[in-house]
Amino acid sequence: MLCPRLLIACLLPSLLVGCVTSGGRGWPISTYNNTCNTGMIPMEPFCLTWTAYDGGFEYPDQFPVCKQSMLNFTNALDEYYRCEETTLKDIFDKLLISVPATYNCYVEFFKDKDNGDPTSKCPPVDIPRFSPSYETEGIEINLGVPSCIAKNEGYNFAPKRAYQLDDCREQVEVFIGQSILSHSLNAASAQDQYDTYLRNLKWILDQKADDAVNKFNCIAKGHRLCI
């Protein structure tokens, strides 16, 4: 739960959260449906822009409408974080199985030969679709999957000679966290990406919630300049 929601709870009396989509005086209550499927961080309620432009809550029923929108907004930020966390964990959990498995298949392929194309027996790993927030850093290109393992439409980076397995193994060790390196030219640690992205995302979401709550509280107190 994001901390700024507690500020609203302290400042204002409780209000039941409902499925209302419109409020008084033509103001709609901001709702956030399909938060996990939009691919974008939820935007702050429209009422914050309107009230700041109009100079505050002009009519009594505008206050509870905006308050409900704020609660919906902070709930949406929580949900967005949970979805990103769950989705990314599921993706990396599967990759941490398929990447070493593909490498081990390469090793078996070269047991009785010095050269060849192991992808004929060991298909490269398809990179799962994941669109990180453009506001948040931490996720590498191709999710940091070793280039010798990842499926690439333009070029086959899999080892073609047995001695090239050593380089591929080092890439795999970086990805699965068994190397002293968290990044290399051709791979990046799955755990490091996961931790960094979610840490940065949490900070950004907390900041957005805090900024919105501060603006709402400023408007509720009747201040003229609330940004």
Side-chain angles (χ1 to χ4, degrees):
M1 181 179 295
L2 297 170
C3 295
R5 186 180 306 171
L6 299 177
L7 299 179
I8 299 178
C10 293
L11 178 68
L12 305 173
S14 62
L15 181 68
L16 293 178
V17 177
C19 298
V20 184
T21 57
S22 63
R25 303 291 178 178
W27 276 21
I29 292 176
S30 294
T31 57
Y32 299 86
N33 300 320
N34 300 316
T35 299
C36 294
N37 301 320
T38 62
M40 297 179 60
I41 294 177
M43 297 177 62
E44 68 177 32
F46 293 120
C47 65
L48 295 184
T49 301
W50 294 335
T51 50
Y53 179 79
D54 293 338
F57 300 111
E58 186 176 359
Y59 302 101
D61 55 358
Q62 292 177 338
F63 178 84
V65 166
C66 197
K67 178 190 174 184
Q68 181 67 69
S69 296
M70 285 294 300
L71 292 174
N72 291 346
F73 173 62
T74 54
N75 284 337
L77 293 178
D78 283 347
E79 183 179 6
Y80 182 85
Y81 180 85
R82 287 193 297 269
C83 290
E84 291 288 281
E85 180 182 36
T86 299
T87 300
L88 197 56
K89 182 179 185 303
D90 181 62
I91 288 174
F92 278 134
D93 281 349
K94 292 176 180 177
L95 287 174
L96 287 170
I97 295 174
S98 60
V99 168
T102 301
Y103 171 75
N104 290 334
C105 184
Y106 287 177
V107 172
E108 288 296 318
F109 177 85
F110 283 109
K111 263 190 175 181
D112 57 357
K113 57 179 67 69
D114 292 328
N115 56 72
D117 183 4
T119 60
S120 61
K121 296 289 184 65
C122 315
V125 172
D126 282 315
I127 306 301
R129 180 181 176 83
F130 180 73
S131 300
S133 165
Y134 72 91
E135 300 181 61
T136 310
E137 297 180 349
I139 300 299
E140 302 294 330
I141 296 175
N142 288 337
L143 297 172
V145 174
S147 61
C148 63
I149 299 290
K151 184 176 182 179
N152 189 303
E153 298 297 337
Y155 184 79
N156 182 1
F157 289 97
K160 306 302 189 301
R161 293 177 173 78
Y163 72 85
Q164 293 176 330
L165 281 171
D166 287 341
D167 178 65
C168 189
R169 174 181 50 78
E170 291 174 359
Q171 294 179 39
V172 172
E173 289 176 347
V174 169
F175 183 76
I176 66 177
Q178 292 185 359
S179 170
I180 60 173
L181 302 175
S182 61
H183 291 77
S184 70
L185 181 62
N186 297 307
S189 163
Q191 186 68 54
D192 184 67
Q193 291 178 81
Y194 178 83
D195 292 340
T196 301
Y197 178 76
L198 290 177
R199 182 173 60 250
N200 291 339
L201 179 63
K202 184 65 166 61
W203 186 88
I204 288 174
L205 296 181
D206 282 348
Q207 192 64 47
K208 286 181 180 294
D210 192 48
D211 289 345
V213 169
N214 287 338
K215 185 185 294 186
F216 177 83
N217 290 343
C218 176
I219 295 170
K221 292 176 181 177
H223 298 315
R224 303 298 298 178
L225 183 61
C226 298
I227 56 176

